[in-house]
Amino acid sequence: MSSSYLPATTESLDQAQEAKKPSEAISILYRILENPSSSAEALRIKEKAISNLGDLLREENRAEELRSLLTQLRPFFSLIPKAKTAKIVRSIIDAVAKIPNTSDLQISLCKEMVQWTRTEKRTFLRQRVEARLASLLMESKEYSEALALLSSLIKEVRRLDDKLLLVDIELLESKLHFSLRNLPKAKAALTAARTAANAIYVPPDQQGTIDLQSGILHAEEKDYKTAYSYFYEAFEGFNALEDPRAVYSLKYMLLCKIMVSQADDVAGILSSTKVGLQYQGPEVDAMKAVAHAHAQRSLRLFETALRDFKAQLEEDPIVHRHLSSLYDTLLEQNLCRLIEPFSRVEIAHIAELIELPVDHVEKKLSQMILDKKFAGTLDQGAGCLIIFDDPKTDAIYPATLETISNIGKVVDSLYVRSAKIMA
């Protein structure tokens, strides 16, 4: 950084834009910011210089410089309105977020800014930075720290009645509880977010986030039809905004169709004009492969899809959770169909028919016997499965119990009548 400052004028900004190398432009912008002038025009030029500098540092992946820039600008923040300060701080934090592998840096940066905002008593900005910090902590799986931060933040924001921020925080709390597998609290937080959202105008991207979270929670409760309608609403909103989350909404829509055994509808959804070629890619290809395996009722194709699209299926916790139950159901259906003709059959033969490892099939069969999916036993010495005939329930026992129950009612009725006569 040069020690001599440049005048805070549009000519200096143009000079930075005309610089051939990004490093030259960054140096010029730093020199503009060093100008001690605090006139209205100089402050306006400096705001523009900060915006341009943030963009350049982001493009150059210089995250540490963005962090130090926020520290350097603190004297400048005392000269401009608090609303403009909040805008600049949030834009620089957003710029750091766009640089890959900076999660730890973002967390420490947010913690620094929270301390500064507390010292400066900038409540509005602190609440938003704390909400961002809670989101980053959740992504880093620091759930207890994120939950403690959100709990105190929610109480404070409710007291101030800042509905827009409250919607954001309640949504974040819902996602956090869902990550902790606490479904009742996740639903309660989402309901609170919806209640707050109904009282104000909610931006389309935030409404899409609410719909997406609603769909995820309904899918978790196995209510796939309702979940599909929420995912569709989220997709419509994100698609209109050209938000990258649209493809995930589409992916979860296809998942719902597969889970309700309507895998044939997947091709129809993907061939529609709204989806078309716009969302073709690995996320959609993964769901097409799963839909094909489900339609064919083929475990081999299912496992191939899971292997080929590991990043899209296994590493997406929402999809993985539902596909695990789908795989178990498909495996049980196939095993029941294969063992139906037999009274005694080698486990190796079943494994060969279903094209799965013997130990995997043996484990699943023992689980199905314990769950009473069929009557049978495993002869591990001979490596065989022995299937028993379904025991026929004798109708005489329930009929006898019903008769005794009716006699009891008659006796009670006679006792009541006799008591009335004696009285």
Side-chain angles (χ1 to χ4, degrees), residues 309-350:
F309 297 99
K310 187 175 181 181
Q312 289 76 28
L313 302 175
E314 296 265 340
E315 292 172 17
D316 184 329
I318 295 158
V319 173
H320 177 64
R321 195 173 292 137
H322 295 291
L323 289 187
S324 296
S325 65
L326 182 66
Y327 178 80
D328 283 344
T329 306
L330 204 56
L331 179 56
E332 286 175 8
Q333 288 174 353
N334 275 267
L335 285 171
C336 287
R337 182 169 52 81
L338 288 172
I339 65 175
E340 195 176 1
F342 301 103
S343 60
R344 183 185 178 92
V345 60
E346 287 185 355
I347 297 168
H349 179 62
I350 298 171

Short mmCIF file of all heavy atoms in Angstrom, two decimals, residues 309-350:
data_model
loop_
_atom_site.label_atom_id
_atom_site.label_comp_id
_atom_site.label_asym_id
_atom_site.label_seq_id
_atom_site.Cartn_x
_atom_site.Cartn_y
_atom_site.Cartn_z
N PHE A 309 -23.57 -41.76 -8.16
CA PHE A 309 -23.95 -40.39 -7.77
C PHE A 309 -23.83 -40.22 -6.25
O PHE A 309 -24.75 -39.72 -5.59
CB PHE A 309 -25.38 -40.08 -8.23
CG PHE A 309 -25.56 -40.11 -9.73
CD1 PHE A 309 -26.11 -41.24 -10.34
CD2 PHE A 309 -25.18 -39.05 -10.52
CE1 PHE A 309 -26.27 -41.28 -11.72
CE2 PHE A 309 -25.35 -39.09 -11.89
CZ PHE A 309 -25.89 -40.21 -12.49
N LYS A 310 -22.70 -40.63 -5.72
CA LYS A 310 -22.50 -40.59 -4.27
C LYS A 310 -22.63 -39.17 -3.70
O LYS A 310 -23.27 -38.95 -2.68
CB LYS A 310 -21.12 -41.16 -3.93
CG LYS A 310 -20.90 -41.32 -2.43
CD LYS A 310 -19.59 -42.00 -2.13
CE LYS A 310 -19.41 -42.17 -0.62
NZ LYS A 310 -18.15 -42.80 -0.27
N ALA A 311 -22.03 -38.20 -4.40
CA ALA A 311 -22.06 -36.81 -3.91
C ALA A 311 -23.49 -36.27 -3.87
O ALA A 311 -23.87 -35.54 -2.95
CB ALA A 311 -21.20 -35.92 -4.81
N GLN A 312 -24.31 -36.64 -4.85
CA GLN A 312 -25.68 -36.11 -4.96
C GLN A 312 -26.67 -36.86 -4.06
O GLN A 312 -27.68 -36.30 -3.65
CB GLN A 312 -26.19 -36.18 -6.41
CG GLN A 312 -25.53 -35.20 -7.35
CD GLN A 312 -24.12 -35.61 -7.75
OE1 GLN A 312 -23.80 -36.80 -7.77
NE2 GLN A 312 -23.27 -34.64 -8.07
N LEU A 313 -26.40 -38.14 -3.76
CA LEU A 313 -27.36 -38.96 -3.01
C LEU A 313 -26.89 -39.24 -1.58
O LEU A 313 -27.58 -38.94 -0.62
CB LEU A 313 -27.61 -40.28 -3.75
CG LEU A 313 -28.16 -40.15 -5.18
CD1 LEU A 313 -28.26 -41.52 -5.84
CD2 LEU A 313 -29.52 -39.46 -5.19
N GLU A 314 -25.70 -39.80 -1.45
CA GLU A 314 -25.20 -40.21 -0.13
C GLU A 314 -24.85 -38.99 0.73
O GLU A 314 -25.05 -38.99 1.94
CB GLU A 314 -23.96 -41.10 -0.26
CG GLU A 314 -24.24 -42.43 -0.96
CD GLU A 314 -24.51 -43.56 0.01
OE1 GLU A 314 -24.12 -43.44 1.17
OE2 GLU A 314 -25.13 -44.54 -0.41
N GLU A 315 -24.27 -37.95 0.09
CA GLU A 315 -23.77 -36.81 0.85
C GLU A 315 -24.82 -35.72 1.07
O GLU A 315 -24.55 -34.74 1.75
CB GLU A 315 -22.53 -36.23 0.15
CG GLU A 315 -21.35 -37.19 0.22
CD GLU A 315 -20.16 -36.75 -0.62
OE1 GLU A 315 -20.11 -35.56 -1.00
OE2 GLU A 315 -19.30 -37.59 -0.91
N ASP A 316 -26.00 -35.90 0.47
CA ASP A 316 -27.13 -35.00 0.75
C ASP A 316 -27.94 -35.65 1.87
O ASP A 316 -28.61 -36.66 1.65
CB ASP A 316 -27.99 -34.82 -0.51
CG ASP A 316 -29.11 -33.81 -0.31
OD1 ASP A 316 -29.61 -33.70 0.83
OD2 ASP A 316 -29.49 -33.13 -1.28
N PRO A 317 -27.88 -35.13 3.12
CA PRO A 317 -28.50 -35.83 4.25
C PRO A 317 -30.00 -36.05 4.08
O PRO A 317 -30.53 -37.06 4.55
CB PRO A 317 -28.20 -34.92 5.45
CG PRO A 317 -27.84 -33.58 4.87
CD PRO A 317 -27.25 -33.86 3.53
N ILE A 318 -30.69 -35.12 3.42
CA ILE A 318 -32.14 -35.24 3.26
C ILE A 318 -32.48 -36.38 2.32
O ILE A 318 -33.30 -37.26 2.62
CB ILE A 318 -32.74 -33.90 2.76
CG1 ILE A 318 -32.55 -32.83 3.83
CG2 ILE A 318 -34.22 -34.05 2.42
CD1 ILE A 318 -32.58 -31.42 3.32
N VAL A 319 -31.81 -36.41 1.16
CA VAL A 319 -32.05 -37.48 0.18
C VAL A 319 -31.60 -38.82 0.75
O VAL A 319 -32.31 -39.83 0.63
CB VAL A 319 -31.31 -37.17 -1.15
CG1 VAL A 319 -31.41 -38.34 -2.11
CG2 VAL A 319 -31.88 -35.92 -1.80
N HIS A 320 -30.43 -38.84 1.38
CA HIS A 320 -29.87 -40.09 1.89
C HIS A 320 -30.80 -40.76 2.89
O HIS A 320 -30.99 -41.97 2.87
CB HIS A 320 -28.50 -39.81 2.53
CG HIS A 320 -27.88 -41.02 3.16
ND1 HIS A 320 -27.50 -42.12 2.41
CD2 HIS A 320 -27.58 -41.32 4.44
CE1 HIS A 320 -26.99 -43.04 3.22
NE2 HIS A 320 -27.03 -42.58 4.45
N ARG A 321 -31.41 -39.94 3.77
CA ARG A 321 -32.30 -40.47 4.81
C ARG A 321 -33.49 -41.18 4.20
O ARG A 321 -33.87 -42.28 4.62
CB ARG A 321 -32.76 -39.33 5.70
CG ARG A 321 -33.37 -39.76 7.01
CD ARG A 321 -33.65 -38.55 7.89
NE ARG A 321 -32.42 -37.93 8.33
CZ ARG A 321 -32.22 -36.62 8.35
NH1 ARG A 321 -33.14 -35.79 7.94
NH2 ARG A 321 -31.09 -36.12 8.80
N HIS A 322 -34.08 -40.59 3.17
CA HIS A 322 -35.27 -41.18 2.55
C HIS A 322 -34.91 -42.37 1.64
O HIS A 322 -35.65 -43.36 1.60
CB HIS A 322 -36.03 -40.11 1.75
CG HIS A 322 -36.59 -39.03 2.62
ND1 HIS A 322 -37.62 -39.25 3.49
CD2 HIS A 322 -36.25 -37.73 2.77
CE1 HIS A 322 -37.89 -38.13 4.14
NE2 HIS A 322 -37.07 -37.19 3.71
N LEU A 323 -33.79 -42.25 0.95
CA LEU A 323 -33.40 -43.36 0.07
C LEU A 323 -32.99 -44.59 0.87
O LEU A 323 -33.14 -45.72 0.39
CB LEU A 323 -32.25 -42.94 -0.85
CG LEU A 323 -32.61 -41.93 -1.96
CD1 LEU A 323 -31.44 -41.74 -2.90
CD2 LEU A 323 -33.82 -42.38 -2.76
N SER A 324 -32.49 -44.40 2.09
CA SER A 324 -32.14 -45.54 2.94
C SER A 324 -33.38 -46.36 3.27
O SER A 324 -33.37 -47.59 3.18
CB SER A 324 -31.49 -45.06 4.25
OG SER A 324 -30.28 -44.43 3.98
N SER A 325 -34.48 -45.66 3.63
CA SER A 325 -35.73 -46.37 3.93
C SER A 325 -36.32 -46.98 2.66
O SER A 325 -36.87 -48.09 2.69
CB SER A 325 -36.74 -45.43 4.59
OG SER A 325 -37.13 -44.41 3.70
N LEU A 326 -36.17 -46.29 1.52
CA LEU A 326 -36.66 -46.82 0.24
C LEU A 326 -35.90 -48.08 -0.14
O LEU A 326 -36.49 -49.07 -0.59
CB LEU A 326 -36.50 -45.76 -0.86
CG LEU A 326 -37.01 -46.14 -2.25
CD1 LEU A 326 -38.52 -46.33 -2.24
CD2 LEU A 326 -36.63 -45.09 -3.28
N TYR A 327 -34.58 -48.06 0.08
CA TYR A 327 -33.74 -49.23 -0.23
C TYR A 327 -34.15 -50.42 0.63
O TYR A 327 -34.28 -51.56 0.13
CB TYR A 327 -32.27 -48.89 0.00
CG TYR A 327 -31.33 -50.04 -0.24
CD1 TYR A 327 -30.93 -50.38 -1.53
CD2 TYR A 327 -30.83 -50.79 0.82
CE1 TYR A 327 -30.07 -51.44 -1.76
CE2 TYR A 327 -29.97 -51.86 0.61
CZ TYR A 327 -29.59 -52.17 -0.68
OH TYR A 327 -28.75 -53.23 -0.90
N ASP A 328 -34.38 -50.18 1.93
CA ASP A 328 -34.80 -51.27 2.83
C ASP A 328 -36.13 -51.85 2.40
O ASP A 328 -36.31 -53.07 2.40
CB ASP A 328 -34.91 -50.73 4.27
CG ASP A 328 -33.55 -50.57 4.93
OD1 ASP A 328 -32.58 -51.15 4.41
OD2 ASP A 328 -33.45 -49.87 5.95
N THR A 329 -37.07 -50.98 2.05
CA THR A 329 -38.40 -51.46 1.61
C THR A 329 -38.28 -52.28 0.34
O THR A 329 -38.88 -53.37 0.21
CB THR A 329 -39.33 -50.25 1.35
OG1 THR A 329 -39.36 -49.43 2.50
CG2 THR A 329 -40.73 -50.69 1.00
N LEU A 330 -37.47 -51.79 -0.61
CA LEU A 330 -37.28 -52.49 -1.88
C LEU A 330 -36.61 -53.85 -1.66
O LEU A 330 -37.00 -54.85 -2.28
CB LEU A 330 -36.41 -51.62 -2.80
CG LEU A 330 -36.52 -51.82 -4.31
CD1 LEU A 330 -37.95 -51.65 -4.77
CD2 LEU A 330 -35.62 -50.83 -5.03
N LEU A 331 -35.62 -53.87 -0.76
CA LEU A 331 -34.92 -55.12 -0.45
C LEU A 331 -35.87 -56.13 0.18
O LEU A 331 -35.87 -57.33 -0.19
CB LEU A 331 -33.75 -54.82 0.49
CG LEU A 331 -32.89 -56.00 0.95
CD1 LEU A 331 -32.34 -56.77 -0.24
CD2 LEU A 331 -31.75 -55.53 1.84
N GLU A 332 -36.71 -55.67 1.13
CA GLU A 332 -37.66 -56.58 1.78
C GLU A 332 -38.67 -57.14 0.78
O GLU A 332 -38.99 -58.33 0.81
CB GLU A 332 -38.39 -55.84 2.91
CG GLU A 332 -37.52 -55.61 4.13
CD GLU A 332 -38.22 -54.78 5.20
OE1 GLU A 332 -39.43 -54.51 5.05
OE2 GLU A 332 -37.55 -54.38 6.17
N GLN A 333 -39.18 -56.28 -0.10
CA GLN A 333 -40.15 -56.74 -1.11
C GLN A 333 -39.53 -57.79 -2.02
O GLN A 333 -40.16 -58.82 -2.32
CB GLN A 333 -40.64 -55.55 -1.94
CG GLN A 333 -41.57 -54.62 -1.21
CD GLN A 333 -41.91 -53.37 -2.02
OE1 GLN A 333 -41.35 -53.14 -3.10
NE2 GLN A 333 -42.83 -52.56 -1.51
N ASN A 334 -38.30 -57.54 -2.45
CA ASN A 334 -37.61 -58.50 -3.33
C ASN A 334 -37.35 -59.82 -2.63
O ASN A 334 -37.51 -60.89 -3.22
CB ASN A 334 -36.29 -57.89 -3.83
CG ASN A 334 -36.48 -57.02 -5.06
OD1 ASN A 334 -36.36 -57.47 -6.18
ND2 ASN A 334 -36.82 -55.77 -4.82
N LEU A 335 -36.91 -59.77 -1.37
CA LEU A 335 -36.62 -61.00 -0.62
C LEU A 335 -37.90 -61.81 -0.39
O LEU A 335 -37.90 -63.04 -0.56
CB LEU A 335 -35.96 -60.66 0.72
CG LEU A 335 -34.48 -60.25 0.65
CD1 LEU A 335 -34.00 -59.74 2.00
CD2 LEU A 335 -33.60 -61.40 0.18
N CYS A 336 -39.00 -61.13 0.00
CA CYS A 336 -40.28 -61.83 0.21
C CYS A 336 -40.75 -62.52 -1.07
O CYS A 336 -41.26 -63.65 -1.05
CB CYS A 336 -41.35 -60.86 0.72
SG CYS A 336 -41.10 -60.36 2.43
N ARG A 337 -40.57 -61.82 -2.20
CA ARG A 337 -40.98 -62.40 -3.49
C ARG A 337 -40.14 -63.63 -3.84
O ARG A 337 -40.65 -64.64 -4.37
CB ARG A 337 -40.84 -61.33 -4.58
CG ARG A 337 -41.29 -61.76 -5.97
CD ARG A 337 -41.36 -60.56 -6.90
NE ARG A 337 -40.14 -59.78 -6.92
CZ ARG A 337 -39.05 -60.10 -7.63
NH1 ARG A 337 -39.03 -61.20 -8.35
NH2 ARG A 337 -37.98 -59.33 -7.61
N LEU A 338 -38.83 -63.58 -3.52
CA LEU A 338 -37.92 -64.68 -3.88
C LEU A 338 -38.12 -65.92 -3.00
O LEU A 338 -38.01 -67.05 -3.49
CB LEU A 338 -36.47 -64.21 -3.79
CG LEU A 338 -35.99 -63.25 -4.88
CD1 LEU A 338 -34.61 -62.72 -4.55
CD2 LEU A 338 -35.96 -63.93 -6.25
N ILE A 339 -38.39 -65.72 -1.70
CA ILE A 339 -38.48 -66.88 -0.80
C ILE A 339 -39.89 -67.49 -0.78
O ILE A 339 -40.09 -68.57 -0.22
CB ILE A 339 -38.07 -66.50 0.65
CG1 ILE A 339 -39.03 -65.48 1.25
CG2 ILE A 339 -36.64 -66.00 0.69
CD1 ILE A 339 -38.76 -65.15 2.72
N GLU A 340 -40.86 -66.82 -1.41
CA GLU A 340 -42.25 -67.29 -1.37
C GLU A 340 -42.43 -68.73 -1.83
O GLU A 340 -43.16 -69.49 -1.19
CB GLU A 340 -43.13 -66.34 -2.20
CG GLU A 340 -44.60 -66.52 -1.93
CD GLU A 340 -45.45 -65.49 -2.69
OE1 GLU A 340 -44.90 -64.66 -3.44
OE2 GLU A 340 -46.66 -65.54 -2.51
N PRO A 341 -41.76 -69.20 -2.92
CA PRO A 341 -42.00 -70.58 -3.38
C PRO A 341 -41.34 -71.66 -2.52
O PRO A 341 -41.61 -72.84 -2.72
CB PRO A 341 -41.38 -70.61 -4.79
CG PRO A 341 -40.98 -69.21 -5.11
CD PRO A 341 -40.85 -68.50 -3.84
N PHE A 342 -40.47 -71.28 -1.61
CA PHE A 342 -39.65 -72.26 -0.89
C PHE A 342 -40.14 -72.49 0.53
O PHE A 342 -40.75 -71.63 1.15
CB PHE A 342 -38.19 -71.77 -0.81
CG PHE A 342 -37.54 -71.53 -2.14
CD1 PHE A 342 -37.38 -70.24 -2.62
CD2 PHE A 342 -37.09 -72.59 -2.91
CE1 PHE A 342 -36.78 -70.00 -3.84
CE2 PHE A 342 -36.48 -72.36 -4.14
CZ PHE A 342 -36.33 -71.07 -4.62
N SER A 343 -39.83 -73.72 1.04
CA SER A 343 -39.99 -74.00 2.47
C SER A 343 -38.61 -74.10 3.12
O SER A 343 -38.45 -73.90 4.31
CB SER A 343 -40.77 -75.29 2.68
OG SER A 343 -40.08 -76.38 2.06
N ARG A 344 -37.59 -74.43 2.29
CA ARG A 344 -36.20 -74.47 2.76
C ARG A 344 -35.31 -74.11 1.57
O ARG A 344 -35.43 -74.70 0.50
CB ARG A 344 -35.86 -75.88 3.26
CG ARG A 344 -34.45 -76.02 3.85
CD ARG A 344 -34.18 -77.48 4.21
NE ARG A 344 -32.84 -77.66 4.72
CZ ARG A 344 -32.49 -77.61 6.01
NH1 ARG A 344 -33.42 -77.40 6.92
NH2 ARG A 344 -31.24 -77.79 6.39
N VAL A 345 -34.43 -73.13 1.74
CA VAL A 345 -33.62 -72.67 0.61
C VAL A 345 -32.27 -72.19 1.13
O VAL A 345 -32.17 -71.65 2.25
CB VAL A 345 -34.35 -71.53 -0.15
CG1 VAL A 345 -34.61 -70.33 0.74
CG2 VAL A 345 -33.57 -71.09 -1.38
N GLU A 346 -31.22 -72.40 0.34
CA GLU A 346 -29.89 -71.93 0.71
C GLU A 346 -29.82 -70.40 0.62
O GLU A 346 -30.31 -69.82 -0.36
CB GLU A 346 -28.83 -72.55 -0.21
CG GLU A 346 -28.58 -74.02 0.05
CD GLU A 346 -27.44 -74.55 -0.82
OE1 GLU A 346 -26.94 -73.80 -1.67
OE2 GLU A 346 -27.08 -75.73 -0.64
N ILE A 347 -29.19 -69.81 1.62
CA ILE A 347 -29.05 -68.35 1.64
C ILE A 347 -28.20 -67.90 0.44
O ILE A 347 -28.45 -66.86 -0.17
CB ILE A 347 -28.42 -67.88 2.97
CG1 ILE A 347 -29.35 -68.23 4.13
CG2 ILE A 347 -28.16 -66.37 2.95
CD1 ILE A 347 -28.73 -68.09 5.50
N ALA A 348 -27.20 -68.69 0.10
CA ALA A 348 -26.32 -68.38 -1.04
C ALA A 348 -27.12 -68.30 -2.33
O ALA A 348 -26.84 -67.47 -3.21
CB ALA A 348 -25.22 -69.42 -1.17
N HIS A 349 -28.16 -69.16 -2.46
CA HIS A 349 -28.99 -69.17 -3.67
C HIS A 349 -29.82 -67.88 -3.75
O HIS A 349 -29.93 -67.26 -4.83
CB HIS A 349 -29.91 -70.40 -3.66
CG HIS A 349 -30.82 -70.47 -4.85
ND1 HIS A 349 -30.34 -70.58 -6.14
CD2 HIS A 349 -32.18 -70.43 -4.95
CE1 HIS A 349 -31.36 -70.60 -6.98
NE2 HIS A 349 -32.48 -70.51 -6.28
N ILE A 350 -30.35 -67.46 -2.60
CA ILE A 350 -31.13 -66.20 -2.57
C ILE A 350 -30.22 -65.02 -2.92
O ILE A 350 -30.59 -64.14 -3.69
CB ILE A 350 -31.77 -65.98 -1.18
CG1 ILE A 350 -32.75 -67.11 -0.86
CG2 ILE A 350 -32.50 -64.64 -1.12
CD1 ILE A 350 -33.26 -67.10 0.56
#
